[in-house]
Each structure stands twice: as structure tokens, then as C-alpha cells.
Amino acid sequence: MPTSLCGTWDMISNVNFDGYMSALGISTYLRKIALRLKLKKVIERQGDQYIIKTLSTFRNYAISFKIGQEFEEFTKGLDNRHIKSTVTWQGNKQKCEQIGEKKNRGWAHWVEGDKLHLELYCDGEVCKQVFKKNVNE
Ligand code: YOG
């Protein structure tokens, strides 16, 4: 049983976010804004439904899904694409495959100690974000 991803997590590092956003075709203007953000992840589970919220002072984004069940994702306020997403467990990693216009798109979450790790993939670019557990929220 993998350590729970659930909780509130504050970003402490963010490597190659710019490369990931460039691969998604995000404008220079929006990339500059996004690069300054300290993202927060709120991960909840209600029965077999997961909810992942990405929060910032600029925009918020949320998805909800069941493990192994493909769902329609619209990346509203991000790159605004319609994709078909499926989240599965592979060992201790929760992995999402995002099928659409962009090749090799997806993400993986896992926990190590009190840190939440996230890799974001698009078209050969890998962004690595690490979050620290926020015990006050
Ligand atoms: O998370 O897929 O946890 O959905 C990555 C933004 C910036 C807008 C955030 C707003 C991609 C301008 C979602 C940032 C860049 C830049 C706060 C990452 C696109 C546009 C919402 C993600 C998964 C896994 C769950």
C-alpha cells in the first residue's frame, strides 16, 4: 500500500517548468507569470474518486478521476486542450497518461518521506516539482 498522496502540499522546487510549458505551446508572457508562482497541491480522496487541485494566486486547476477509468480532461486556463486521461498506480507511483494532440504527455506523483514529487511530461520535456507537506492546512 503506497503512502497516501492525500493532503495539502506547498511547492519547494520546480525544475524545467519553462521547458514543459514551451512544449505545451504556452506564450512567453504566460510562462513568465507562471514561473513566478508558488503552486499548492491539494489531493483528496472520496471513496474511489481522487481530486487533485493545483492552486495559485493567478489561476487554479482541478481534476477528479477514478483509478483506471479514462476521463475527458479539458485543461482550462492551462493550454486549453481536450485530452483523454487515465490514471493508474505503477508501484508507488500514481501515473497519468494524457492522450491528445501532444505526444508523450502525462504526469507521475509519488511520496518520499514528507515530500510529494511530481514529474510533468510533454513531448520529451520533463518538469520536476517537489512539494513539502503543509501540516497546517
Ligand atoms: O497537475 O497537470 O498534479 O492536474 C501546470 C501548468 C499557470 C497558467 C499546472 C497556472 C501548465 C499558465 C497543472 C498554474 C502550464 C501556464 C496553476 C499541472 C500551462 C499554462 C494552475 C498538472 C496534475 C498533477 C493534476
Side-chain angles (χ1 to χ4, degrees), residues 1-135:
M1 184 68 182
T3 314
S4 177
L5 303 177
C6 295
T8 297
W9 307 87
D10 295 320
M11 195 172 76
I12 55 169
S13 65
N14 192 3
V15 174
N16 197 35
F17 192 34
D18 203 48
Y20 171 73
M21 290 191 288
S22 294
L24 285 174
I26 306 299
S27 70
T28 308
Y29 172 76
L30 275 178
R31 294 201 323 264
K32 276 188 181 158
I33 294 171
L35 281 174
R36 300 175 63 91
L37 300 173
K38 289 278 171 272
L39 303 177
K40 188 183 286 273
K41 287 283 175 194
V42 178
I43 304 182
E44 297 166 341
R45 202 180 74 169
Q46 295 171 3
D48 54 0
Q49 187 97 12
Y50 275 91
I51 302 158
I52 302 184
K53 296 173 192 162
T54 306
L55 306 177
S56 77
T57 53
F58 178 57
R59 276 177 196 166
N60 299 323
Y61 183 69
I63 58 169
S64 64
F65 56 86
K66 291 179 180 174
I67 296 297
Q69 279 191 18
E70 186 179 86
F71 62 102
E72 309 272 332
E73 182 173 1
F74 174 52
T75 57
K76 187 175 162 64
L78 306 181
D79 61 317
N80 296 300
R81 284 190 175 91
H82 292 273
I83 51 184
K84 290 191 189 301
S85 302
T86 309
V87 182
T88 55
W89 284 105
Q90 293 180 31
N92 67 331
K93 293 191 178 175
Q94 190 177 84
K95 293 196 177 181
C96 180
E97 193 177 15
Q98 297 174 312
I99 305 294
E101 181 189 346
K102 291 291 171 185
K103 298 304 159 204
N104 301 309
R105 180 172 184 175
W107 51 258
H109 265 301
W110 69 96
V111 170
E112 279 174 30
D114 64 345
K115 305 286 196 309
L116 175 75
H117 293 251
L118 172 62
E119 284 179 349
L120 295 160
Y121 315 104
C122 183
D123 216 3
E125 294 288 338
V126 182
C127 168
K128 178 72 195 283
Q129 300 182 341
V130 180
F131 300 77
K132 192 176 195 316
K133 190 143 203 172
N134 182 327
V135 289

